Structures are given as structure tokens and as C-alpha cells.
Amino acid sequence: MGVILPIAFLLITLAIVVLYAMVGELARRIPDGEPAEDPVRPLTEFQQGTAPTHWPDDLSALGDAPQALILVLSPVCSTCTNVAKELALLAPDKLDIPIGVLVSAAGRNIGEEFAARHSLARYPHLVDEKGAWISGNFGVNISPTGLLMERGALAQAYSFTKATDLIQTVVKAREVKAREGVS
């Protein structure tokens, strides 16, 4: 018994070293700069065609627009923080589509602090405590999510990592529809 225990520890230590070496080798083989997935992906889990039972005052202008994007962000999501920083650098009045921001947060103070820290007041924005409005109306429970609204109804939902990529995707799709004569 006295020799078996040290040999077992030696084998376990050796196995851990080999495992770390294999993981390091695999990580080295992944090319830098290539995204792991598409930066903008259509979602399938949402309630297409649904219009909310009511538009909160802070987002009501988007409900009247022919087309608008609502970006759903959360203060606890690192990608959402990056998107919020990106939005702070954009000029809302220069974008090709109206954008609103919905901050889904556990509490109003947390959401308001996130919005203030990232200058989101430049956009129509709403702090949605516990995501009640967004999930109750559209079945969306993840962030970041981009909701493409057409005449107040949900046309498409997207997962995205950069706001500019999402905007380009939506604008290109709109241009294709216009060329094809689809309304």
C-alpha cells in the first residue's frame, strides 16, 4: 500500500500534464482573428408577427416606425457591455434604421446605471426589470438580441455580437426585399 499511493499520484500528475499539453496544442492550431460563429444569426425562438399589448412610452416611437431595431442588452453580459460601448460611439440620427435599447436587468437601479454609464439615453431606451416586457410580449429571454420590428410587430430576432454588423445585415435584407419588390 505504501508504494501504490505515490505511483497513483505520479500517474494522475502525468495525465494532467499531458492533458494541458494537448489543450495547449489545440489552442495553438486555432487561427487568430477568425470568429467562432457568425456575428449575426437569425433566432428561431421568438414570436414572429407579435405586436406588444402596449408600447412603453420610452419606446413608443419605434412602434410607429415602418422598420426599427430594438437591441436587448443586459448589464451582466460582457458582449452586451461591448455593444453598449459601440452604441456610445455611433450617432443615432445618422443610422440607416431607428434603434432603441431595452436594458433587461434584475432591478431598475442596475439597469439605469448601465444605461447612464454607456450613454444609452441618446437612444429611445427602457429598463425592463427582469425582462418582463420583452419576454412577455415576444418570448425573448437572451441577450444580446436584436428585434427587427416592422410597423410595430416583430418580424425577426437576431443574436449578434456587434451592433454595426446587425444594422448592416438588416439594411442589406431591406435592400434585397426592395429590389425584389417584396413589401
Side-chain angles (χ1 to χ4, degrees), residues 119-159:
S119 304
L120 298 178
R122 300 174 326 124
Y123 298 88
H125 71 285
L126 171 72
V127 173
D128 187 15
E129 286 189 71
K130 299 178 184 166
W133 185 79
I134 200 72
S135 65
N137 283 288
F138 304 113
V140 172
N141 296 311
I142 61 171
S143 58
T145 299
L147 304 178
L148 176 61
M149 307 301 295
E150 292 182 352
R151 294 174 184 82
L154 181 57
Q156 182 63 54
Y158 299 92
S159 171

Side-chain angles (χ1 to χ4, degrees), residues 2-182:
V3 175
I4 295 176
L5 196 55
I7 291 174
F9 281 125
L10 179 65
L11 290 174
I12 290 172
T13 303
L14 188 60
I16 291 172
V17 169
V18 168
L19 179 65
Y20 275 104
M22 289 171 38
V23 169
E25 180 62 23
L26 288 173
R28 188 184 66 76
R29 292 181 185 198
I30 296 174
D32 290 335
E34 287 186 25
E37 56 186 49
D38 292 336
V40 177
R41 290 187 335 256
L43 296 177
T44 57
E45 299 295 321
F46 68 98
Q47 298 167 0
Q48 185 174 17
T50 302
T53 55
H54 78 282
W55 280 93
D57 291 341
D58 298 331
L59 297 178
S60 62
L62 301 176
D64 297 331
Q67 203 174 49
L69 271 175
I70 298 174
L71 306 183
V72 181
L73 306 178
S74 171
V76 297
C77 159
S78 63
T79 302
C80 296
T81 298
N82 291 337
V83 168
K85 289 176 183 177
E86 180 186 7
L87 289 173
L89 300 174
L90 299 176
D93 57 336
K94 303 286 188 219
L95 298 174
D96 293 324
I97 187 167
I99 290 183
V101 179
L102 184 136
V103 179
S104 179
R108 177 157 302 286
N109 291 343
I110 295 168
E112 288 174 354
E113 193 277 327
F114 179 81
R117 181 172 5 114
H118 298 293
S119 304
L120 298 178
R122 300 174 326 124
Y123 298 88
H125 71 285
L126 171 72
V127 173
D128 187 15
E129 286 189 71
K130 299 178 184 166
W133 185 79
I134 200 72
S135 65
N137 283 288
F138 304 113
V140 172
N141 296 311
I142 61 171
S143 58
T145 299
L147 304 178
L148 176 61
M149 307 301 295
E150 292 182 352
R151 294 174 184 82
L154 181 57
Q156 182 63 54
Y158 299 92
S159 171
F160 69 102
T161 56
K162 289 183 66 183
T164 51
D165 289 342
L166 176 61
I167 293 166
Q168 287 176 344
T169 298
V170 168
V171 169
K172 284 179 185 176
R174 180 175 61 197
E175 291 169 356
V176 167
K177 283 173 75 173
R179 277 195 305 270
E180 294 174 352
V182 178

